[in-house]
Coordinates of all heavy atoms in Angstrom, one line a residue:
A1285 N 5.4 14.5 -12.6 CA 5.7 13.8 -11.4 C 7.0 14.2 -10.7 O 7.1 13.8 -9.5 CB 5.8 12.3 -11.7
H1286 N 7.8 14.9 -11.3 CA 9.1 15.2 -10.7 C 9.0 16.4 -9.7 O 8.3 17.4 -10.0 CB 10.1 15.5 -11.8 CG 11.5 15.8 -11.2 ND1 12.3 14.9 -10.7 CD2 12.1 17.0 -11.0 CE1 13.4 15.4 -10.2 NE2 13.3 16.7 -10.4
P1287 N 9.6 16.4 -8.6 CA 10.3 15.3 -8.0 C 9.4 14.4 -7.2 O 8.4 14.9 -6.6 CB 11.4 16.0 -7.1 CG 10.7 17.2 -6.6 CD 9.8 17.6 -7.8
V1288 N 9.7 13.1 -7.2 CA 8.9 12.2 -6.4 C 9.7 11.9 -5.1 O 10.8 11.4 -5.1 CB 8.6 10.9 -7.1 CG1 7.9 9.9 -6.2 CG2 7.9 11.1 -8.4
D1289 N 9.1 12.3 -4.0 CA 9.8 12.1 -2.7 C 9.6 10.6 -2.3 O 8.6 10.0 -2.5 CB 9.2 13.0 -1.6 CG 9.4 14.5 -1.8 OD1 10.5 14.8 -2.4 OD2 8.6 15.3 -1.5
R1290 N 10.7 10.1 -1.8 CA 10.6 8.7 -1.3 C 10.6 8.7 0.2 O 11.4 9.4 0.8 CB 11.9 7.9 -1.8 CG 11.9 7.9 -3.3 CD 13.2 7.2 -3.7 NE 13.3 7.4 -5.2 CZ 13.8 6.4 -5.9 NH1 14.3 5.3 -5.4 NH2 13.9 6.6 -7.2
V1291 N 9.8 7.8 0.7 CA 9.7 7.7 2.2 C 10.2 6.3 2.5 O 9.5 5.3 2.3 CB 8.2 7.9 2.7 CG1 8.2 7.7 4.2 CG2 7.7 9.2 2.3
I1292 N 11.5 6.3 2.9 CA 12.1 5.0 3.3 C 12.8 5.2 4.6 O 13.6 6.1 4.8 CB 13.1 4.6 2.2 CG1 12.4 4.4 0.8 CG2 13.8 3.3 2.6 CD1 13.4 4.2 -0.3
P1293 N 12.5 4.4 5.6 CA 11.5 3.3 5.5 C 10.1 3.8 5.7 O 9.9 4.9 6.2 CB 11.9 2.5 6.8 CG 12.5 3.4 7.7 CD 13.2 4.5 6.9
D1294 N 9.2 3.0 5.2 CA 7.8 3.4 5.2 C 7.4 3.4 6.7 O 7.6 2.5 7.4 CB 6.9 2.4 4.5 CG 5.5 2.8 4.2 OD1 4.9 3.3 5.2 OD2 5.1 2.8 3.1
P1295 N 6.8 4.5 7.2 CA 6.5 4.6 8.6 C 5.2 3.8 9.1 O 5.0 3.7 10.3 CB 6.2 6.1 8.8 CG 5.7 6.6 7.4 CD 6.4 5.7 6.4
R1296 N 4.5 3.3 8.1 CA 3.3 2.5 8.5 C 3.7 1.2 9.2 O 4.7 0.7 8.9 CB 2.4 2.3 7.3 CG 1.8 3.5 6.7 CD 1.0 3.2 5.5 NE 2.0 2.9 4.4 CZ 1.6 2.5 3.2 NH1 0.3 2.5 2.9 NH2 2.5 2.3 2.3
P1297 N 2.8 0.7 10.1 CA 3.1 -0.5 10.8 C 3.2 -1.7 9.7 O 2.6 -1.7 8.7 CB 1.9 -0.8 11.7 CG 1.3 0.6 11.9 CD 1.6 1.4 10.6
I1298 N 4.1 -2.6 10.0 CA 4.5 -3.7 9.1 C 3.2 -4.5 8.7 O 3.1 -4.9 7.6 CB 5.6 -4.5 9.6 CG1 6.1 -5.5 8.5 CG2 5.2 -5.3 10.9 CD1 7.0 -4.8 7.5
N1299 N 2.3 -4.7 9.7 CA 1.1 -5.5 9.4 C 0.2 -4.8 8.4 O -0.4 -5.5 7.5 CB 0.4 -5.8 10.7 CG 1.1 -6.9 11.5 OD1 1.9 -7.6 11.0 ND2 0.7 -7.0 12.8
H1300 N 0.2 -3.5 8.5 CA -0.7 -2.8 7.5 C -0.1 -3.0 6.1 O -0.8 -3.2 5.1 CB -0.7 -1.3 7.8 CG -1.5 -1.0 9.0 ND1 -2.5 0.0 9.0 CD2 -1.5 -1.4 10.3 CE1 -3.1 0.1 10.2 NE2 -2.5 -0.8 11.0
L1301 N 1.3 -2.8 6.0 CA 1.9 -2.9 4.7 C 1.7 -4.4 4.1 O 1.4 -4.5 2.9 CB 3.4 -2.6 4.8 CG 3.7 -1.2 5.3 CD1 5.2 -1.1 5.6 CD2 3.3 -0.2 4.2
A1302 N 1.9 -5.4 5.0 CA 1.8 -6.7 4.5 C 0.4 -7.1 4.1 O 0.2 -7.7 3.0 CB 2.3 -7.7 5.6
V1303 N -0.6 -6.8 4.9 CA -2.0 -7.1 4.5 C -2.4 -6.4 3.2 O -2.9 -7.0 2.3 CB -3.0 -6.8 5.7 CG1 -4.4 -6.9 5.2 CG2 -2.7 -7.8 6.8
R1304 N -2.1 -5.1 3.2 CA -2.5 -4.4 2.0 C -1.7 -4.9 0.7 O -2.3 -4.9 -0.4 CB -2.3 -2.9 2.2 CG -3.2 -2.4 3.2 CD -3.2 -0.9 3.3 NE -4.1 -0.4 4.4 CZ -5.4 -0.3 4.3 NH1 -6.0 -0.6 3.2 NH2 -6.1 0.1 5.3
T1305 N -0.5 -5.3 0.9 CA 0.3 -5.9 -0.2 C -0.4 -7.2 -0.7 O -0.6 -7.4 -1.9 CB 1.7 -6.1 0.2 OG1 2.3 -4.9 0.5 CG2 2.5 -6.8 -0.9
I1306 N -0.7 -8.1 0.2 CA -1.3 -9.3 -0.1 C -2.7 -9.1 -0.8 O -3.0 -9.7 -1.8 CB -1.5 -10.2 1.1 CG1 -0.1 -10.7 1.6 CG2 -2.4 -11.4 0.8 CD1 -0.1 -11.3 3.0
V1307 N -3.5 -8.3 -0.2 CA -4.9 -8.0 -0.7 C -4.8 -7.4 -2.1 O -5.5 -7.9 -3.0 CB -5.7 -7.1 0.2 CG1 -7.0 -6.7 -0.5 CG2 -6.0 -7.8 1.5
S1308 N -3.9 -6.5 -2.4 CA -3.9 -5.8 -3.6 C -3.3 -6.5 -4.8 O -3.5 -6.1 -6.0 CB -3.2 -4.4 -3.4 OG -1.8 -4.6 -3.2
Q1309 N -2.6 -7.6 -4.6 CA -1.9 -8.3 -5.7 C -2.9 -8.8 -6.7 O -3.9 -9.4 -6.4 CB -1.1 -9.4 -5.2 CG 0.1 -9.0 -4.4 CD 1.0 -10.1 -4.0 OE1 1.2 -11.0 -4.7 NE2 1.4 -10.1 -2.7
L1310 N -2.6 -8.5 -8.0 CA -3.4 -8.9 -9.2 C -4.8 -8.4 -9.1 O -5.7 -9.0 -9.7 CB -3.4 -10.4 -9.3 CG -2.0 -11.0 -9.5 CD1 -2.1 -12.5 -9.4 CD2 -1.3 -10.5 -10.7
L1311 N -5.1 -7.2 -8.5 CA -6.4 -6.6 -8.4 C -6.3 -5.2 -8.9 O -5.2 -4.5 -8.7 CB -7.0 -6.6 -7.0 CG -7.3 -8.0 -6.4 CD1 -7.8 -7.8 -5.0 CD2 -8.4 -8.7 -7.2
S1312 N -7.4 -4.6 -9.3 CA -7.4 -3.2 -9.6 C -7.4 -2.5 -8.2 O -7.7 -3.0 -7.2 CB -8.7 -2.8 -10.3 OG -9.8 -3.0 -9.4
T1313 N -7.0 -1.2 -8.3 CA -6.9 -0.4 -7.1 C -8.3 -0.3 -6.4 O -8.5 -0.4 -5.2 CB -6.4 1.0 -7.4 OG1 -5.1 0.9 -8.0 CG2 -6.3 1.9 -6.2
A1314 N -9.4 -0.2 -7.2 CA -10.7 -0.1 -6.7 C -11.2 -1.4 -6.0 O -11.7 -1.3 -4.9 CB -11.7 0.3 -7.8
A1315 N -10.9 -2.5 -6.6 CA -11.2 -3.8 -6.0 C -10.5 -4.0 -4.7 O -11.1 -4.4 -3.7 CB -10.9 -4.9 -7.0
A1316 N -9.2 -3.7 -4.7 CA -8.4 -3.9 -3.4 C -8.9 -2.9 -2.3 O -9.0 -3.4 -1.2 CB -6.9 -3.6 -3.7
K1317 N -9.3 -1.7 -2.7 CA -9.8 -0.8 -1.7 C -11.1 -1.3 -1.1 O -11.3 -1.3 0.1 CB -10.1 0.6 -2.4 CG -10.6 1.6 -1.4 CD -10.8 3.0 -2.1 CE -11.3 4.0 -1.1 NZ -12.2 4.9 -1.6
T1318 N -12.0 -1.8 -2.0 CA -13.3 -2.4 -1.5 C -13.0 -3.6 -0.5 O -13.7 -3.6 0.5 CB -14.1 -2.8 -2.7 OG1 -14.4 -1.7 -3.5 CG2 -15.4 -3.5 -2.2
I1319 N -12.1 -4.5 -0.9 CA -11.9 -5.6 0.0 C -11.3 -5.2 1.3 O -11.7 -5.7 2.3 CB -11.0 -6.6 -0.8 CG1 -11.7 -7.3 -1.9 CG2 -10.5 -7.7 0.2 CD1 -10.9 -8.1 -2.9
N1320 N -10.3 -4.2 1.2 CA -9.7 -3.7 2.5 C -10.8 -3.1 3.4 O -10.8 -3.3 4.6 CB -8.6 -2.7 2.2 CG -7.3 -3.4 1.9 OD1 -6.9 -4.3 2.6 ND2 -6.7 -3.0 0.8
E1321 N -11.7 -2.4 2.8 CA -12.8 -1.7 3.6 C -13.7 -2.8 4.2 O -14.1 -2.7 5.4 CB -13.6 -0.8 2.7 CG -12.9 0.5 2.3 CD -13.6 1.3 1.3 OE1 -14.6 0.9 0.7 OE2 -13.1 2.4 1.0

């Protein structure tokens, strides 16, 4: 994994980050992806 580049601040719109954060909590990546789709 080294080096891992950090992108701060995240360039995505804040609403995208917030919705994806809320949806993905306590879910598998696959489940969150399906719900987002």
Side-chain angles (χ1 to χ4, degrees):
H1286 182 74
V1288 176
D1289 294 326
R1290 297 174 189 219
V1291 179
I1292 300 172
D1294 194 309
R1296 292 175 291 180
I1298 192 73
N1299 285 342
H1300 289 234
L1301 297 170
V1303 169
R1304 293 188 184 280
T1305 297
I1306 292 167
V1307 169
S1308 65
Q1309 290 183 46
L1310 301 173
L1311 293 178
S1312 70
T1313 302
K1317 181 179 181 213
T1318 298
I1319 292 170
N1320 279 313
E1321 288 171 354

